[in-house]
Amino acid sequence: MFMFEQAVVGSRRYWAWVLCLLAVIGLGFLLYLQQLSYGLGITGMSRDVTWGLYIAQFTFLVGVAASAVMVVLPYYLHDYKAFGRITILGEFLAISAVTMCMLFVFVDMGQPARALNIMLYPTPNSIMFWDFVSLGGYLLLNAVIALVTLSAEHKSVPPPAWIKPVILLSIPWAISIHTVTAFLYSGLPGRSFWLTAILAPRFLASAFAAGPALLILLCMIMRRMKAFDPGPEAVRKLAVIVTYAMILNVFFLLMELFTAFYSQIPEHTEHFRYMFVGLEGHRALVGWEWASVLLAAASLLLLIVPRLRRNEKVLAAACVVTFLSLWIDKGVCLVVCGFIPSPVGAVTEYAPTLPELGITLAIWAIGCLMVTVFYKIALSVREGLAASAVH
Amino acid sequence: MTRKGFLGVTGISAAVLAARKLRSVFAASGPAASPPVRWAMVIDTQKCLKKAGCIDCIAACHKVHNVPEIKDRAHEIKWVWKEPFKQAFPAQETAYTEEAYKGKPFPVLCNHCDNPPCVRVCPTKATWKREDGLVMMDWHRCIGCRYCMAACPYGSRSFNWVDPRPHLRRIDIEFPTRTKGVVEKCTFCAERLARGQAPACVQACKEQKALVFGNLADPDSDVSRLVRSRFTLRRKPGLGTNPEVYYIIG
């Protein structure tokens, strides 16, 4: 199989990490079996808050997947050479993130055995159908691109010419997956928290901050392990991308707040009020959202000042706070707060249960395992080339 | 002309002739025999409020449809229930009407919207709108994604978070029970309408006559006369869903 032999040889540290991930995945699988037999009542979701941590993770990770375009576009469209060594990492990150997205949607289904009904009864008026199409297509595109370019590299030959248009297609496709995911929310008449034209742009901005931030961190980890060095220029350029995207994301959020609070339309303000100060004494997410705000402020400070951003240690910290801030905002608050208050004004709070957290963690572990294995394969191919060049 | 070509032309001609014949047969017995139907409900809230604490409509509906009684509010299933005025008609209350109706319960249910967002978003057509306006559910096709629940602006849909059957006091074998993991809601009693009966809630309210059900496409029906002669409200009319449950308030 596709250079898979590289994944089954490794150091003691590599195997310890893989086994650790497999243990988390195994535990999550057992918990999922329990959810399958008891029903989704095992989670913290309710009649009022019908989507929770699973769908919020899905939403956040579509962004991580789409962000691969931030390395693919400069390299293939602008011939920006510094990204040449990391495009494959962006694509493998995208493949792992899309797989996690699909798993999160799957574990959220009440009747997972009927999942293929989406294909059996295709319904073009449902945005969920288009999300399914765009995510599936994106997974396929990235799998083909990664496979073809990496095998070409493996054989020390240039990639075939036909792959170029496929790569170019993957650029608008990446934008489409997150736009369609935003449309899942922003087209619903009774949910004013999401009923905003800026939701898709905001999704994209937060994605292009969180994804490249994660990629910078992964590059730094790999350099630390002496496995791979993308070069200082690539990291510096990625940091600029994170900076601009984060500024846009915060700007878009402030525009949301202005529209809601200056117009003072209750339907538009109450969800934000629940998120920032609580409603009727219910304040479960207030601490989380403020944590996200503080982290965002720290992120902007560390990223905007060039002297700070160019210091690698500070940049690492900036990437961590950026990622955490956006994960809280999008991977926790954005989905849940849309349901609070409910359409009939009920303030029902949501908190994930332990089995729900275990299943969520297991899917993240699957993502980590995929990134680990894919990156190992990619780097082994490069190491092999470097070694043969020396001899 | 080749043999194959001749057979092809003959076949197509025969099919066209047959189709024409069929169309004329259907045209003869079609529209004339079945006048348009648009089922709708009018709720006279004054009559409803007169009998304080009455839950006859809810009890009747939940009994014939095997709706489970689940104590945990997070997991409850409800097809018809009551909400205070402010919750049923948000943004339509004033400080004074709220005083007049404070704490008073108003029955709410699926509005069987003319333009239902739940139907628009369902990825498997497990929920759809019939020509007579009923918004239906296929409990065998629903994948339990709950997109319809996010789309419904009235909170009219319930999800089976757990197996509902242990929570049924008794099972009415005339109506299916549901499994865990599917969405359900009021169907305007499609099964009773098919037998020429009024919905169970309307039947249960025949003393108070607060619930009136009928064909809005027929200008002489009770519902048509009521919506023409009395001032009615609909829930969240600004959303463009066109609910077909009308409330007489004053």
Side-chain angles (χ1 to χ4, degrees):
Chain A
M1 223 179 100
F2 169 60
M3 293 166 272
F4 198 72
E5 66 278 4
Q6 306 289 356
V8 290
V9 287
S11 63
R12 188 176 285 249
R13 204 169 49 167
Y14 170 75
W15 279 111
W17 169 242
V18 168
L19 286 177
C20 199
L21 290 175
L22 286 174
V24 175
I25 295 167
L27 186 67
F29 184 71
L30 291 179
L31 289 169
Y32 180 69
L33 290 182
Q34 211 185 336
Q35 176 184 301
L36 205 56
S37 78
Y38 183 78
L40 279 164
I42 207 169
T43 69
M45 292 184 272
S46 61
R47 193 180 188 279
D48 287 342
V49 184
T50 47
W51 284 339
L53 199 58
Y54 296 152
I55 292 299
Q57 299 310 291
F58 152 78
T59 309
F60 177 76
L61 287 163
V62 174
V64 173
S67 74
V69 77
M70 283 290 113
V71 288
V72 171
L73 188 146
Y75 180 64
Y76 286 102
L77 229 48
H78 299 281
D79 204 22
Y80 183 68
K81 295 277 193 292
F83 281 174
R85 289 159 66 78
I86 55 170
T87 47
I88 189 80
L89 302 184
E91 282 150 9
F92 277 139
L93 184 60
I95 293 173
S96 312
V98 174
T99 310
M100 289 166 78
C101 290
M102 291 181 156
L103 285 171
F104 274 117
V105 173
F106 187 78
V107 298
D108 190 67
M109 279 182 184
Q111 285 289 334
R114 301 178 188 166
L116 292 180
N117 274 4
I118 296 183
M119 283 202 277
L120 203 55
Y121 309 105
T123 312
N125 49 277
S126 170
I127 298 295
M128 201 172 276
F129 167 76
W130 291 108
D131 214 31
F132 185 79
V133 170
S134 66
L135 282 178
Y138 192 64
L139 181 62
L140 189 69
L141 279 175
N142 275 288
V144 168
I145 293 166
L147 180 82
V148 169
T149 53
L150 194 63
S151 358
E153 202 174 320
H154 187 47
K155 292 173 198 146
S156 300
V157 294
W162 61 263
I163 199 71
K164 188 75 190 276
V166 179
I167 291 169
L168 294 183
L169 176 65
S170 82
I171 293 171
W173 204 290
I175 309 289
S176 87
I177 63 167
H178 218 23
T179 306
V180 173
T181 304
F183 284 178
L184 277 179
Y185 298 98
S186 65
L188 304 179
R191 306 282 179 182
S192 32
F193 189 57
W194 303 324
L195 192 74
T196 161
I198 207 147
L199 199 68
R202 196 179 140 204
F203 270 25
L204 286 164
S206 63
F208 296 157
L214 180 61
L215 200 54
I216 292 177
L217 291 171
L218 290 173
C219 285
M220 286 178 172
I221 292 169
M222 283 186 288
R223 193 168 52 196
R224 193 138 226 210
M225 290 161 56
K226 301 208 167 38
F228 169 72
D229 187 358
E233 202 196 329
V235 169
R236 221 171 274 171
K237 206 47 131 191
L238 275 176
V240 173
I241 291 173
V242 175
T243 309
Y244 274 108
M246 190 61 184
I247 292 171
L248 277 176
N249 174 61
V250 171
F251 177 59
F252 289 165
L253 177 66
L254 291 173
M255 290 168 90
E256 286 274 48
L257 292 174
F258 170 80
T259 308
F261 286 100
Y262 193 79
S263 72
Q264 297 184 15
I265 298 172
E267 269 177 44
H268 290 267
T269 56
E270 57 198 1
H271 298 279
F272 284 108
R273 277 184 27 233
Y274 172 72
M275 196 160 81
F276 284 110
V277 294
L279 270 185
E280 298 169 17
H282 298 286
R283 350 179 354 109
L285 288 176
V286 172
W288 284 94
E289 185 57 26
W290 279 106
S292 170
V293 168
L294 292 178
L295 290 168
S299 142
L300 287 184
L301 176 75
L302 300 178
L303 287 170
I304 292 175
V305 181
R307 200 158 40 88
L308 294 175
R309 187 178 67 228
R310 286 196 196 118
N311 179 325
E312 290 251 322
K313 283 205 176 109
V314 177
L315 179 61
C319 288
V320 170
V321 294
T322 306
F323 190 81
L324 280 180
S325 167
L326 294 171
W327 179 77
I328 294 171
D329 187 43
K330 210 165 152 191
V332 179
C333 297
L334 185 118
V335 172
V336 174
C337 291
F339 291 103
I340 308 171
S342 80
V344 289
V347 182
T348 309
E349 293 208 282
Y350 161 83
T353 58
L354 280 177
E356 196 176 1
L357 286 171
I359 293 167
T360 303
L361 210 59
I363 297 179
W364 274 93
I366 291 174
C368 287
L369 184 65
M370 289 180 74
V371 167
T372 305
V373 169
F374 286 145
Y375 279 20
K376 180 143 197 326
I377 291 172
L379 300 179
S380 306
V381 166
R382 293 224 171 113
E383 264 171 31
L385 289 179
S388 60
V390 168
H391 291 300
Chain B
M1 187 181 259
T2 63
R3 199 174 112 97
K4 196 174 162 194
F6 172 76
L7 285 173
V9 169
T10 336
I12 289 166
S13 316
V16 168
L17 282 175
R20 274 201 185 155
K21 180 121 190 170
L22 266 177
R23 218 179 78 186
S24 62
V25 168
F26 279 113
S29 64
S34 60
V37 177
R38 206 319 163 191
W39 296 116
M41 185 182 281
V42 178
I43 301 179
D44 189 329
T45 61
Q46 285 306 310
K47 285 184 184 169
C48 178
L49 285 172
K50 247 180 219 156
K51 200 171 164 190
C54 171
I55 53 158
D56 291 352
C57 56
I58 302 172
C61 166
H62 288 188
K63 184 167 162 280
V64 300
H65 296 122
N66 295 320
V67 175
E69 256 181 68
I70 299 176
K71 293 281 171 284
D72 184 353
R73 209 184 76 86
H75 298 163
E76 71 184 339
I77 312 275
K78 40 193 187 184
W79 285 26
V80 189
W81 74 103
K82 296 198 176 177
E83 290 284 352
F85 183 83
K86 194 180 168 180
Q87 264 72 46
F89 302 94
Q92 298 193 55
E93 86 282 5
T94 71
Y96 309 100
T97 49
E98 207 194 333
E99 201 55 47
Y101 293 120
K102 204 161 199 169
K104 302 276 170 60
F106 288 77
V108 290
L109 64 158
C110 171
N111 284 296
H112 294 271
C113 303
D114 263 344
N115 182 16
C118 53
V119 169
R120 200 182 312 147
V121 303
C122 176
T124 60
K125 302 186 189 87
T127 191
W128 76 98
K129 202 185 101 180
R130 283 191 349 189
E131 275 184 18
D132 58 5
L134 266 53
V135 176
M136 300 294 292
M137 268 301 302
D138 183 343
W139 295 308
H140 297 278
R141 188 184 284 196
C142 174
I143 58 172
C145 70
R146 311 186 294 292
Y147 198 9
C148 55
M149 295 179 79
C152 175
Y154 307 102
S156 295
R157 290 174 164 264
S158 304
F159 180 71
N160 286 282
W161 296 99
V162 293
D163 183 4
R165 284 157 196 151
H167 300 275
L168 289 169
R169 224 176 275 161
R170 67 158 162 258
I171 292 174
D172 189 331
I173 53 160
E174 297 280 304
F175 199 79
T177 58
R178 271 76 66 196
T179 174
K180 65 172 180 279
V182 297
V183 172
E184 60 180 78
K185 66 166 198 77
C186 153
T187 63
F188 258 177
C189 283
E191 76 289 354
R192 291 173 60 91
L193 294 181
R195 294 195 297 258
Q197 295 168 306
C201 55
V202 176
Q203 180 74 25
C205 191
K206 62 176 187 281
E207 231 174 87
Q208 290 301 117
K209 293 195 176 56
L211 306 180
V212 184
F213 187 85
N215 179 9
L216 212 51
D218 170 7
D220 296 324
S221 68
D222 289 345
V223 283
S224 292
R225 263 189 231 124
L226 275 173
V227 292
R228 270 205 310 272
S229 61
R230 305 286 299 273
F231 177 71
T232 54
L233 283 184
R234 291 190 293 176
R235 295 177 66 199
K236 301 189 182 179
L239 298 180
T241 56
N242 278 331
E244 290 295 358
V245 176
Y246 298 77
Y247 293 82
I248 299 171
I249 301 293

